[in-house]
Amino acid sequence: MAEQRNHKAPSVILLLFFFSTVISTNPACNKMDQDSLRSFSFNMPSSPLNWSSNDCCNWDGITCDAAGRVTHVLLPSKGLKGGIFVSSSLGNLTHLTHLDLSHNSLYGSLDQTQFFSSLSRLQTLNLSNNLLSGELPYSQPLSNIRVLDLSSNHFHGEIASSFFQQARNLMKFNVSHNTFIGSIPSSVCLRSSSLIQVLDFSFNNFNGSISRGLGVCSKLQAFRAGYNNLSGLLPDDIYNATTLEEIALPRNSLHGALSEGLVNLTNLTILDLSYNEFIGVVPASIGKLSKLQFVLLDYNMLEGYLPPSLMNCTNLIELRMGSNNLKGNISLLNFLKLSQLRILDLGKNHFTGKLPMSLYSCKSLTAIRLNTNDLEGEIHPEILALESLSFLSLGGNRFHNINRAMKILMRFRSLVFLSLAASFEGEEMPVDLGMVDFDGFRNLRMLSLGGSDLTGEIPLWFSKLRKLEVLSMGHNRITGSIPSWLGTLPRLVYISLDFNLISGEFPKELCTLPMLVSERIAAQVDDNDLELPIYGIQGPTFLQWKLSNFGRGIYLGNNAMNGHIPKEISKLQRLQHLQLDNNNFSGNIPDQISNLKNLEELSLSWNHLSGKIPSSLTSLNFLSSLDVSYNNLEGQIPTSTQLQSFNASAFEGNPKLCGAPLPNKCLPSKGNEADDNSEDHVENGHQWFHLSVALGFITGFWGVCGPLVLNEKWRYAYFQFLQNAHDRLYASYVLTVMFIAKIQRRLRS
């Protein structure tokens, strides 16, 4: 054993000597490269880079080759701030093949440096998510570049075809989220070298039509040019690029019919042509595209029937064809094979029939939108098989039995969004859903039951919806008053009860809604995206993926409410919209409304409000809509640039109201405060005038008549004086008449 140990000892020593030799002979970082990196770091204000060791090959984000030359500089999300390529220091890294400075705060222009001139070996350049600007450099050598990502910056100008002629080895090109203009470059793929796999031009200002040439991109996998201003037809040769896996061209003005050539793209997994102007029918043989996962054709002008072959695309995850002119009996569609389907949007079409029972076999469904069609029937308990369902929009159809529907749907644990608006016409609002052990809708954030002429009162079970943020019940026939417990819902920020028959006063408890009172409380609430966007009144131009985008408002207009607007309304600091028009509110406009610093809309028209418009309203800097017309308001409209910017119609119907923008002018004044003071002085002056006249009359009367009443001698002497005065005046009158008659006789003679 001792001999074996002695025999192994030299072997171990030799092995250690070998590794130490290898380590010692590993070349250190090239000094010129190291100096270039130090210069780059030095010119970054408050550089977060911890490059303190003597060997740059051991620095964070740096990789060297066997000769000690820097080949990789990978510094994404490092908090770098400053000018890009300061002193072109990185340009001295002549062996650099990979450079990643993405997700930092670098600024500057690429065409102002000679950065590329020495980086002839550069293969990957990722400068995405910075603050870079300027145009793409066309004169720099890019012959070896394979991956170029300049997305999410401020680059502008046009992209010439010559750029791609230089970059013959380019495989991935991403300039999305910039402000490029002009047309998408033609001849992107050269016949001699068509290595392009990904082209991403989305979120820019490109215009014009898409030129032919994509058909020769023999390796093209993804073509993205959505959110631009493109128009015209799809180039017919695009269907020759059979390697395509993704076509994403949403939010343009492309038109024409969908070609049957589409079925040649058998590798296609994503087809997104939404928000365009395509017409005609969906190709009947679209089911041949068996790899399809996302079919997004919503907001076009497609017509005809939904091809039954589409139900053979067993890999479908999203099927969105809403807002078209499609028709047919939806009950005839067989969804049994779509086990992976997660989102179905066929809303705003002309489908008929009942909810297909086969749809409930798609256990992965999280969102269903079938609103605004011509569906009928009832909602059946089988829908509860969709345990992951969080978004359900079935409004605008002809369903019935809302009481049964709510008792079924309340058993969903995952439901976040529920819209049954404009359905269940004229039925009564469900009152009792088992209030004793009510545990339904535990995650419901939005409930829309408007536009159905529903009768009854606001049901008590609403008080159990502790996560409810948006309550929309306008355009019904709801009666009774607003319950005080509505103000206790901890997350409620949007209440729409307009166009109903609600009476009673504005409950003060509504002024304590936590989410409208405290910014701190609001910040604690998660605001996750919805599974599908909500469309606003502007249609596809107004998409809301979050309920917070709905706005914070109280809409109680067009009811029969009365009483005063409570001063406590000042507590709703986060309120943006307040509509109380067409009611019977009376009293003054509370001055405390001026505390609603976030208020954007205030509608108080067609009530019985009186008094003056509070001058403090001029402090509402975000107020963009105001209507106080047809009340009993009086006085001068407070002068401010903001209030005078509204149309005169916002103040009309108040005869005693004056001042701009109304045509009837007020009396000249030095200001509202001066007017008030002058009015007080005038009123006080009138009072003192009348008082002095009264005192003078009393003094004169008793000063003259008092002694006559109290003293008999004075009274006899006074009346004797009056008699003598009368005799003298009469004698003078007679003598005057005789004298005038004598003169007249002489003049006649």
Side-chain angles (χ1 to χ4, degrees), residues 156-168:
H156 59 265
E158 298 187 14
I159 301 178
S161 296
S162 59
F163 180 87
F164 295 95
Q165 293 173 3
Q166 295 181 53
R168 294 178 177 271

Side-chain angles (χ1 to χ4, degrees), residues 495-521:
I495 305 171
S496 174
L497 294 170
D498 52 330
F499 290 94
N500 277 286
L501 303 173
I502 295 174
S503 57
E505 298 186 356
F506 190 109
K508 294 181 180 180
E509 292 81 2
L510 212 59
C511 301
T512 61
L513 283 168
M515 286 283 285
L516 292 178
V517 169
S518 171
E519 198 76 44
R520 177 183 57 82
I521 295 176

Side-chain angles (χ1 to χ4, degrees), residues 666-722:
C666 300
L667 294 176
S669 62
K670 296 181 180 180
N672 295 335
E673 185 177 352
D675 291 343
D676 294 340
N677 292 335
S678 63
E679 290 177 3
D680 292 340
H681 289 318
V682 170
E683 185 177 356
N684 293 337
H686 288 168
Q687 293 174 352
W688 280 109
F689 173 76
H690 294 304
L691 181 61
S692 62
V693 169
L695 290 174
F697 173 79
I698 294 172
T699 302
F701 176 83
W702 286 107
V704 175
C705 300
L708 301 180
V709 173
L710 299 175
N711 193 308
E712 183 179 357
K713 292 183 178 181
W714 285 18
R715 185 167 63 252
Y716 175 79
Y718 176 72
F719 287 113
Q720 185 64 42
F721 168 77
L722 292 179

Side-chain angles (χ1 to χ4, degrees), residues 442-688:
R442 62 170 58 179
N443 289 302
L444 195 65
R445 295 172 55 198
M446 176 169 178
L447 176 60
S448 177
L449 297 173
S452 299
D453 282 339
L454 297 176
T455 61
E457 299 186 359
I458 299 175
L460 181 60
W461 58 268
F462 280 11
S463 64
K464 301 290 186 176
L465 308 181
R466 308 307 291 176
K467 291 189 177 181
L468 193 67
E469 299 173 28
V470 176
L471 176 62
S472 179
M473 292 181 60
H475 295 267
N476 284 300
R477 288 186 289 151
I478 304 298
T479 56
S481 59
I482 298 176
S484 59
W485 50 256
L486 199 61
T488 66
L489 295 182
R491 296 193 178 186
L492 194 61
V493 296
Y494 182 100
I495 305 171
S496 174
L497 294 170
D498 52 330
F499 290 94
N500 277 286
L501 303 173
I502 295 174
S503 57
E505 298 186 356
F506 190 109
K508 294 181 180 180
E509 292 81 2
L510 212 59
C511 301
T512 61
L513 283 168
M515 286 283 285
L516 292 178
V517 169
S518 171
E519 198 76 44
R520 177 183 57 82
I521 295 176
Q524 297 173 357
V525 177
D526 295 331
D527 188 25
N528 300 321
D529 286 352
L530 298 170
E531 292 292 329
L532 280 171
I534 308 172
Y535 303 114
I537 57 175
Q538 295 95 339
T541 60
F542 188 64
L543 293 178
Q544 302 175 141
W545 286 93
K546 294 180 180 292
L547 287 179
S548 61
N549 296 335
F550 231 84
R552 305 181 292 274
I554 296 177
Y555 300 87
L556 302 177
N558 294 276
N559 280 287
M561 300 183 68
N562 52 45
H564 293 186
I565 301 174
K567 297 179 180 180
E568 290 80 2
I569 203 168
S570 62
K571 298 177 182 179
L572 303 177
Q573 296 287 321
R574 302 184 71 241
L575 191 66
Q576 294 175 312
H577 306 274
L578 179 61
Q579 287 189 4
L580 304 178
D581 53 298
N582 283 278
N583 279 284
N584 296 313
F585 288 111
S586 58
N588 296 334
I589 299 176
D591 185 67
Q592 290 79 2
I593 285 184
S594 62
N595 294 331
L596 308 182
K597 300 303 183 182
N598 290 298
L599 200 63
E600 300 174 11
E601 177 188 12
L602 177 61
S603 181
L604 303 174
S605 63
W606 293 97
N607 279 287
H608 306 294
L609 300 172
S610 57
K612 297 181 179 180
I613 298 177
S615 59
S616 57
L617 290 187
T618 60
S619 64
L620 298 178
N621 298 324
F622 293 103
L623 195 64
S624 59
S625 177
L626 173 67
D627 192 350
V628 295
S629 61
Y630 296 97
N631 281 284
N632 299 315
L633 301 173
E634 60 185 30
Q636 183 176 4
I637 298 173
T639 54
S640 75
T641 304
Q642 190 171 14
L643 293 187
Q644 273 64 50
S645 67
F646 296 118
N647 195 286
S649 61
F651 303 95
E652 66 184 8
N654 295 281
K656 297 181 181 180
L657 205 59
C658 63
L662 290 174
N664 50 321
K665 305 299 180 183
C666 300
L667 294 176
S669 62
K670 296 181 180 180
N672 295 335
E673 185 177 352
D675 291 343
D676 294 340
N677 292 335
S678 63
E679 290 177 3
D680 292 340
H681 289 318
V682 170
E683 185 177 356
N684 293 337
H686 288 168
Q687 293 174 352
W688 280 109

Side-chain angles (χ1 to χ4, degrees), residues 40 73-77 80 84-85 90 96-104 106 110 115-116 119 122-130 132 145-153 155 170 172-176 178:
F40 173 75
V73 176
L74 308 179
L75 301 171
S77 303
L80 301 178
I84 186 70
F85 313 135
L90 292 181
L96 195 64
T97 60
H98 294 73
L99 177 61
D100 186 351
L101 301 175
S102 61
H103 292 87
N104 285 292
L106 303 174
L110 300 186
F115 175 72
F116 292 105
L119 299 182
L122 194 63
Q123 298 177 15
T124 298
L125 176 61
N126 188 350
L127 301 175
S128 63
N129 291 276
N130 277 285
L132 303 174
I145 199 78
R146 291 178 176 270
V147 177
L148 180 61
D149 191 346
L150 303 177
S151 61
S152 299
N153 280 285
F155 291 111
L170 193 61
K172 296 182 179 180
F173 180 73
N174 188 352
V175 291
S176 64
N178 282 284

Side-chain angles (χ1 to χ4, degrees), residues 180-372:
F180 286 109
I181 60 173
S183 59
I184 289 179
S186 60
S187 303
V188 172
C189 298
L190 304 175
R191 293 185 181 275
S192 58
S193 177
S194 53
L195 302 177
I196 284 285
Q197 297 177 8
V198 176
L199 288 171
D200 196 340
F201 300 99
S202 53
F203 292 94
N204 279 283
N205 295 320
F206 290 110
N207 54 35
S209 59
I210 303 173
S211 304
R212 299 181 85 254
L214 294 174
V216 297
C217 298
S218 59
K219 296 186 179 181
L220 187 61
Q221 298 175 5
F223 177 55
R224 308 182 188 115
Y227 295 83
N228 281 287
N229 301 312
L230 301 176
S231 58
L233 305 173
L234 280 180
D236 54 2
D237 70 330
I238 194 173
Y239 306 116
N240 296 330
T242 55
T243 56
L244 268 173
E245 299 176 6
E246 178 181 355
I247 298 178
L249 304 172
R251 292 286 182 147
N252 284 291
S253 298
L254 300 170
H255 60 265
L258 296 180
S259 171
E260 285 286 346
L262 186 66
V263 299
N264 294 333
L265 306 178
T266 54
N267 290 301
L268 205 62
T269 60
I270 299 176
L271 177 62
D272 187 356
L273 302 177
S274 57
Y275 306 101
N276 279 285
E277 300 169 10
F278 289 106
I279 61 173
V281 300
V282 180
S285 55
I286 193 172
K288 293 181 179 180
L289 304 180
S290 59
K291 295 182 180 180
L292 274 177
Q293 296 180 7
F294 299 86
V295 177
L296 312 180
L297 297 175
D298 44 327
Y299 267 100
N300 280 284
M301 293 180 285
L302 301 173
E303 56 188 16
Y305 298 92
L306 197 64
S309 67
L310 195 57
M311 301 294 106
N312 295 324
C313 298
T314 57
N315 292 302
L316 269 180
I317 296 175
E318 287 191 24
L319 177 58
R320 290 168 47 181
M321 304 188 73
S323 298
N324 280 286
N325 295 312
L326 301 173
K327 62 182 180 180
N329 190 334
I330 199 172
S331 307
L332 302 179
L333 295 176
N334 189 350
F335 292 88
L336 290 175
K337 297 180 181 179
L338 306 184
S339 60
Q340 299 184 53
L341 189 64
R342 193 171 60 86
I343 292 178
L344 175 66
D345 184 359
L346 300 177
K348 294 187 178 181
N349 279 289
H350 306 292
F351 291 110
T352 59
K354 299 180 179 181
L355 292 175
M357 298 296 289
S358 63
L359 186 62
Y360 306 142
S361 65
C362 304
K363 300 297 181 61
S364 299
L365 272 170
T366 59
I368 299 175
R369 176 152 54 204
L370 295 171
N371 68 300
T372 320

